[in-house]
């Protein structure tokens, strides 16, 4: 795995940082394309929305991480970005920007949803390159060992950090192969992105594309959490991310029902 690409002075540039930038760039290009197709806004509007998503997303991801670890000092640590924290605050910042610029909410949501899926897919490549957010041990042929991961996938680290049940005969120093859940998410989200483009071109009722994609992203996250090496399974076998995924699905279902019953509007 690659922990560092190069330095700028004393500042280290990691593959994750590079992929995060590319994720926002890909999201911007996808959003701008969608806005052009719908005849909504301009490049300045797209830039403002991506900026709001970036600032809100990173702050939300850091706050969620600090709360999860009960340590506010982690707000100033370079590591630790949690998807759902970023999604919640990033979405709030985007909705605020849409309203402030007096842009149509639901059509823009349809343009934003494929951009979200694409950005997520690109960002997970960065997680893979630095050996973060991987899964449980596996014997499958595509299992990957992360000798310098965050943390390394040694039996001792997996036991201590994630409380995984690994046979006592396996020494702490042994490097284990794990599910590359980052790759699973990248591939899944690229499929969801493709579905989003197909739905977008069909010109469904405003908001339907966005709700379908958000539902698919929630299902994807719920399923991949089954394989993830996690230490936040506070709800029996379920993680907090799975609980939030279920909540997102419920919200999507309610909004979808409300949109169906109301006359089409922006």
């Amino acid at each position: 795995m690659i922990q560092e690409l190069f330095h700028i002075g004393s500042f280290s540039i990691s593959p994750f940082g590079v992929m995060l930038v590319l994720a926002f760039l890909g999201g911007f290009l996808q959003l701008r394309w969608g806005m052009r197709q719908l005849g909504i806004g301009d490049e300045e509007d797209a830039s403002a929305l991506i900026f709001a998503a970036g600032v809100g997303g990173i702050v939300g991801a850091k706050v969620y991480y600090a709360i999860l670890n009960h340590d506010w000092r982690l707000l100033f640590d370079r590591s630790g970005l949690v998807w759902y924290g970023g999604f919640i605050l990033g979405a709030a910042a985007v909705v605020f920007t849409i309203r402030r610029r007096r842009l149509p909410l639901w059509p823009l949501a349809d343009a934003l949803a494929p951009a979200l899926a694409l950005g997520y897919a690109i960002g997970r490549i960065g997680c893979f390159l630095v050996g973060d957010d991987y899964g449980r041990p596996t014997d499958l042929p595509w299992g990957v060992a992360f000798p310098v991961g965050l943390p390394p996938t040694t039996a001792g680290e997996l036991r201590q950090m994630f409380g995984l049940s690994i046979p006592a005969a396996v020494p702490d120093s042994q490097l284990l192969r794990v599910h590359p859940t980052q790759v699973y998410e990248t591939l899944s989200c690229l499929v969801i992105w493709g579905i989003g483009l197909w739905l977008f071109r069909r010109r469904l009722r405003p908001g339907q594309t966005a709700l379908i994609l958000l539902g698919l992203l929630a299902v994807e996250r719920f399923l991949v959490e089954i394989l993830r090496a996690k230490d936040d399974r506070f709800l029996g076998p379920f993680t907090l991310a799975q609980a939030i995924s279920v909540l997102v699905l419920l919200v999507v279902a309610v909004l979808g029902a409300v949109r169906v019953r109301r006359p089409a509007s922006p």
Side-chain angles (χ1 to χ4, degrees):
M1 297 300 104
I2 309 168
Q3 294 297 312
E4 178 183 287
L5 292 174
F6 54 89
H7 277 84
I8 298 179
S10 60
F11 190 76
S12 174
I13 305 298
S14 74
F16 178 78
V18 171
M19 296 312 298
L20 186 63
V21 171
L22 292 177
F24 280 111
L25 177 59
F28 170 78
L29 294 175
Q30 173 61 56
L31 173 62
R32 189 70 193 103
W33 176 85
M35 291 172 68
R36 285 197 187 102
Q37 296 299 306
L38 295 175
I40 299 172
D42 54 24
E43 190 164 327
E44 184 179 340
D45 292 319
S47 297
L49 290 169
I50 291 296
F51 179 78
V55 173
I58 291 173
V59 171
K62 291 298 297 181
V63 169
Y64 190 113
Y65 183 69
I67 292 173
L68 196 61
N69 290 275
H70 308 290
D71 187 352
W72 290 107
R73 292 173 298 179
L74 293 175
L75 288 174
F76 307 100
D77 193 285
R78 287 186 63 186
S79 64
L81 294 173
V82 183
W83 156 249
Y84 268 127
F87 170 72
I88 293 169
L89 193 56
V94 166
V95 171
F96 173 79
T97 304
I98 289 173
R99 291 305 191 191
R100 184 170 174 269
R101 288 180 168 263
R102 298 180 180 178
L103 297 167
L105 176 60
W106 287 109
L108 258 179
D110 289 336
L112 279 160
L116 176 64
L118 177 61
Y120 192 21
I122 296 172
R124 278 307 189 199
I125 297 173
C127 294
F128 178 78
L129 292 176
V130 299
D132 194 14
D133 296 330
Y134 46 73
R136 294 167 173 264
T138 181
D139 293 326
L140 292 171
W142 55 81
V144 177
F146 296 93
V148 289
L150 301 170
T153 57
T154 59
E157 290 286 0
L158 294 176
R159 288 187 182 111
Q160 180 179 351
M161 293 293 294
F162 306 116
L164 296 183
S165 179
I166 297 171
V170 179
D172 284 348
S173 60
Q174 183 169 330
L175 193 65
L176 301 178
R177 293 190 304 166
V178 297
H179 284 282
T181 48
Q182 317 97 319
V183 177
Y184 299 168
E185 291 205 86
T186 289
L187 295 176
S188 299
C189 288
L190 286 176
V191 171
I192 293 172
W193 173 56
I195 293 172
L197 294 182
W198 178 71
L199 292 172
F200 189 86
R201 290 191 178 99
R202 293 191 64 192
R203 292 290 194 272
L204 304 179
R205 183 190 183 98
Q208 282 188 318
T209 296
L211 292 174
I212 290 171
L213 291 197
L214 287 177
L216 289 175
L217 287 170
V219 170
E220 177 275 322
R221 186 56 187 266
F222 184 93
L223 293 176
V224 83
E225 288 285 302
I226 297 172
L227 299 176
R228 283 276 299 275
K230 297 290 291 290
D231 59 351
D232 65 343
R233 298 182 187 275
F234 306 135
L235 307 170
F238 302 107
T239 66
L240 287 178
Q242 286 176 310
I244 297 174
S245 294
V246 172
L247 180 60
V248 169
L249 282 172
L250 290 174
V251 171
V252 164
V254 170
L255 289 176
V258 170
R259 293 291 294 169
V260 166
R261 293 174 184 174
R262 289 183 178 177
S265 65

